[in-house]
Amino acid sequence: MIYLDCAATTFQKPPAVAAAMERAMATMSSPGRGGYQAAMEAADTAFTCRSELAAMFHVENPERVVFTMNATHALNIAIKSLVPPGGRAVISGYEHNAVTRPLAALRAKTAVAAAPLFQPEAVLAAFEQTVTPDTDAVICNHVSNVFGMILPIQELARLCRERGVPFILDASQSAGCLPVHLEELGAAFIAMPGHKGLYGPQGTGLLLCGQTPPPLLEGGTGSESIRQEMPDFLPDRLEAGTHNIAGIAGLLEGLRFVEKQGVQSIGSHERALTVQMGESLAQLPGVEVFRSKDPSQQAGVLSFRVSGMDCEELGEALGRRDIALRSGLHCAPLAHRTAGTLETGTVRASVSAFNVPQEIPRFVRELRQILSEKP
């Protein structure tokens, strides 16, 4: 199988990830629940993972790294801590449902700073026109999960700082392949999954906290048990209930893989594969490829569609040929509406550090064969 659905989950993991999870299941209980060896080993693993994450993402205090179930969980905490019911939020035109659905549930007044694909100056101009003093939060992804477009987050964060508006960054498609720097951005929150570019297991996520938010959930933490309110300090304030310690152990090994390979190296590798795919797909008749003329503006995600073919059917046909990718709206109808692909959707190919250049020609050959059989 050629796996090209890494924007959903990096299916191929370093072997150390599964080994660490198996060891955790055999030797660790839960952190903060006792002074015996199994509990202490769990606490040490969680602390080590938290500390190494803080170092990678430039969080001054590791206690401000909060473990979540996924990026959606993290974004819900961030959004609901800053945007009150009926409040005002500004988002890019390329946000995931993990952003737009919480805002809809809050009945927020959501302004979309829409701009064409791969035009960072236009994106920035749209935000400059849309962010007003009554804005409760600006929420923006670093990389579009549909088109791989890298948004100008440094400039957007600066705009938010200048206008005194909290900034939430969705780093779901950038953590592990692009630099993410909490202190430099001055972000209120940065949300990310553990199971994509950090090569951890599903069921892991992170919230980097520039602020201390109210809890989304209440429950046991192993600390201050006498109180009926959640602790007022991080990470306990946001980590109610039993930790996914096997997942955290696996995430620690995924993080170490990224550290060893290097974020810049992984990002360069993914962009090179994306350029290779884009050039090859563009040569096929009837194929429309959504790519940037400047490779530095696109991460390892590439969308395309074929004239006269249903994207879902095309994805299924490729799947039968052991080419794994995703078709449809990718949980981001707003991005498709902004790009003009809402009616058709796209077929999305996305890569990781485990993909190699030799896989691209076979993928393109299989697609060419499908196109040749088209009525």
Side-chain angles (χ1 to χ4, degrees):
M1 178 179 68
I2 295 177
Y3 188 79
L4 298 173
D5 195 21
C6 301
T9 293
T10 48
F11 178 71
Q12 295 145 307
K13 312 284 188 185
V17 171
M21 295 179 71
E22 184 176 0
R23 179 181 177 278
M25 293 291 290
T27 64
M28 300 178 199
S29 58
S30 293
R33 268 58 172 186
Y36 52 91
Q37 184 176 353
M40 295 305 293
E41 281 205 36
D44 288 345
T45 297
F47 177 78
T48 300
C49 187
R50 212 185 296 273
S51 298
E52 293 192 20
L53 287 162
M56 172 171 280
F57 298 114
H58 304 276
V59 184
E60 184 177 4
N61 186 346
E63 292 178 352
R64 292 193 165 272
V65 176
V66 172
F67 294 119
T68 63
M69 295 182 290
N70 42 51
T72 297
H73 180 194
L75 284 164
N76 269 264
I77 296 172
I79 291 168
K80 292 173 182 178
S81 71
L82 293 176
V83 182
R88 185 176 193 272
V90 176
I91 63 176
S92 83
Y94 296 92
E95 298 309 307
H96 191 276
N97 280 345
V99 169
T100 59
R101 284 179 171 173
L103 290 172
L106 290 167
R107 299 182 184 275
K109 303 175 184 70
T110 303
V112 178
L117 277 170
F118 306 115
Q119 294 186 29
E121 297 85 0
V123 171
L124 184 58
F127 273 96
E128 287 175 338
Q129 293 176 358
T130 311
V131 178
T132 56
D134 63 338
T135 301
D136 292 299
V138 167
I139 309 148
C140 182
N141 60 42
H142 195 170
V143 172
S144 165
N145 75 302
V146 179
F147 300 103
M149 179 178 69
I150 301 172
L151 281 80
I153 62 161
Q154 296 286 348
E155 294 81 359
L156 294 178
R158 186 182 305 114
L159 173 67
C160 290
R161 293 196 302 271
E162 290 172 352
R163 299 191 181 180
V165 177
F167 179 54
I168 300 172
L169 178 67
D170 177 3
S172 293
Q173 302 297 336
S174 61
C177 66
L178 288 174
V180 177
H181 197 307
L182 177 68
E183 293 180 8
E184 186 178 275
L185 292 173
F189 300 102
I190 299 178
M192 63 186 70
H195 66 99
K196 297 184 184 184
L198 297 182
Y199 296 88
Q202 294 94 318
T204 58
L206 302 163
L207 183 65
L208 312 181
C209 298
Q211 299 184 10
T212 301
L216 183 66
L217 301 172
E218 288 81 22
T221 60
S223 60
E224 298 193 344
S225 296
I226 192 64
R227 296 180 59 180
Q228 288 305 287
E229 304 82 22
M230 289 295 288
D232 58 5
F233 54 87
L234 294 173
D236 297 38
R237 186 166 179 77
L238 299 180
E239 293 183 1
T242 302
H243 289 79
N244 176 9
I245 196 63
I248 291 169
L251 176 59
L252 175 57
E253 292 303 323
L255 174 67
R256 287 173 171 172
F257 168 80
V258 173
E259 290 173 333
K260 184 176 180 180
Q261 298 293 317
V263 170
Q264 298 283 7
S265 177
I266 292 173
S268 296
H269 173 74
E270 292 181 0
R271 284 192 294 275
L273 291 174
T274 302
V275 170
Q276 181 186 0
M277 277 196 296
E279 292 177 347
S280 299
L281 291 171
Q283 296 175 17
L284 300 179
V287 176
E288 181 183 9
V289 185
F290 298 89
R291 55 179 176 148
S292 174
K293 295 179 181 178
D294 180 355
S296 68
Q297 294 179 3
Q298 187 167 13
V301 180
L302 183 75
S303 267
F304 66 95
R305 60 184 176 181
V306 176
S307 177
M309 289 198 72
D310 179 81
C311 285
E312 298 280 5
E313 292 179 2
L314 179 56
E316 291 173 4
L318 286 163
R320 290 192 291 270
R321 295 168 178 260
D322 286 331
I323 309 295
L325 36 64
R326 187 171 177 186
S327 303
L329 298 182
H330 317 98
C331 298
L334 176 60
H336 286 281
R337 185 176 293 113
T338 302
T341 55
L342 185 62
E343 295 302 316
T344 62
T346 61
V347 181
R348 183 188 71 186
S350 50
V351 296
S352 78
F354 287 96
N355 291 106
V356 294
Q358 293 81 359
E359 292 175 321
I360 307 305
R362 184 192 152 196
F363 160 46
V364 176
R365 282 198 304 271
E366 296 292 351
L367 177 58
R368 188 192 302 274
Q369 183 63 34
I370 293 170
L371 298 181
S372 71
E373 297 170 357
K374 185 176 66 169

